[in-house]
């Protein structure tokens, strides 16, 4: 399956969409995901640049990245895209994924091309 995490954009044809980080993690735990595409900002509060991210009430796509890292390579899809428009957080997600992903995992910057 191809899994697309985003609260606003529709997934490309052939992809299944989830709206929250928790939905994404549950799907990764229960289904075989071949390709994963992650957005960072998943709730209205994430678009407010004056807020400190540590005060968010809702999880961002970074929660999925952190879960993958803690899962110790058991749940890693072979291909992971990061498509967030939030350039700063997209780059942080990409960096963490590239540092910690197993060698067989491709990490690709999609720069919100969907």
């Amino acid at each position: 399956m191809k899994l697309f995490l985003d609260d606003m954009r529709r997934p490309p044809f052939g992809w299944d969409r989830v709206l929250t980080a928790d939905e994404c993690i549950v799907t990764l735990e229960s289904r075989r995901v071949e390709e994963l595409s992650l957005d960072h900002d998943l709730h209205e509060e994430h678009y407010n640049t004056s807020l400190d991210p540590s005060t968010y009430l809702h999880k961002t796509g970074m929660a999925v990245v952190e879960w993958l890292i803690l899962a110790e390579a058991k749940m890693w899809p072979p291909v992971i895209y990061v498509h967030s428009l939030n350039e700063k957080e997209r780059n942080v997600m990409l960096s963490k994924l590239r540092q910690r992903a197993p060698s067989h995992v491709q990490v690709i910057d999609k720069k919100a091309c969907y």
Side-chain angles (χ1 to χ4, degrees):
M1 107 180 271
K2 295 179 180 183
L3 187 62
F4 187 81
L5 172 62
D6 202 302
D7 65 320
M8 306 261 312
R9 290 180 283 277
R10 292 181 146 222
F13 180 78
W15 290 69
D16 292 305
R17 183 172 99 172
V18 289
L19 303 175
T20 69
D22 287 336
E23 285 179 289
C24 187
I25 291 167
V26 166
T27 304
L28 286 164
E29 289 177 322
S30 62
R31 306 267 314 266
R32 182 178 172 148
V33 176
E34 294 296 325
E35 294 182 50
L36 173 64
S37 193
L38 300 171
D39 187 20
H40 180 270
D41 303 327
L42 301 174
H43 190 272
E44 187 176 315
E45 72 179 341
H46 304 155
Y47 300 105
N48 183 343
T49 57
S50 66
L51 289 178
D52 176 358
S54 67
T55 66
Y56 290 157
L57 299 176
H58 298 86
K59 293 177 184 174
T60 66
M62 186 67 75
V64 177
V65 171
E66 292 168 350
W67 177 83
L68 283 167
I69 290 168
L70 292 175
E72 298 177 357
K74 294 176 185 166
M75 306 292 177
W76 289 85
V79 180
I80 302 174
Y81 304 99
V82 180
H83 67 263
S84 182
L85 284 171
N86 182 332
E87 185 174 357
K88 177 184 173 195
E89 296 301 330
R90 184 181 75 241
N91 288 331
V92 172
M93 291 170 70
L94 287 164
S95 177
K96 285 186 176 197
L97 288 166
R98 288 176 175 151
Q99 288 173 5
R100 301 296 299 274
S103 59
H104 70 278
V105 175
Q106 290 182 322
V107 177
I108 301 167
D109 183 355
K110 284 300 241 188
K111 296 184 183 175
C113 70
Y114 298 120

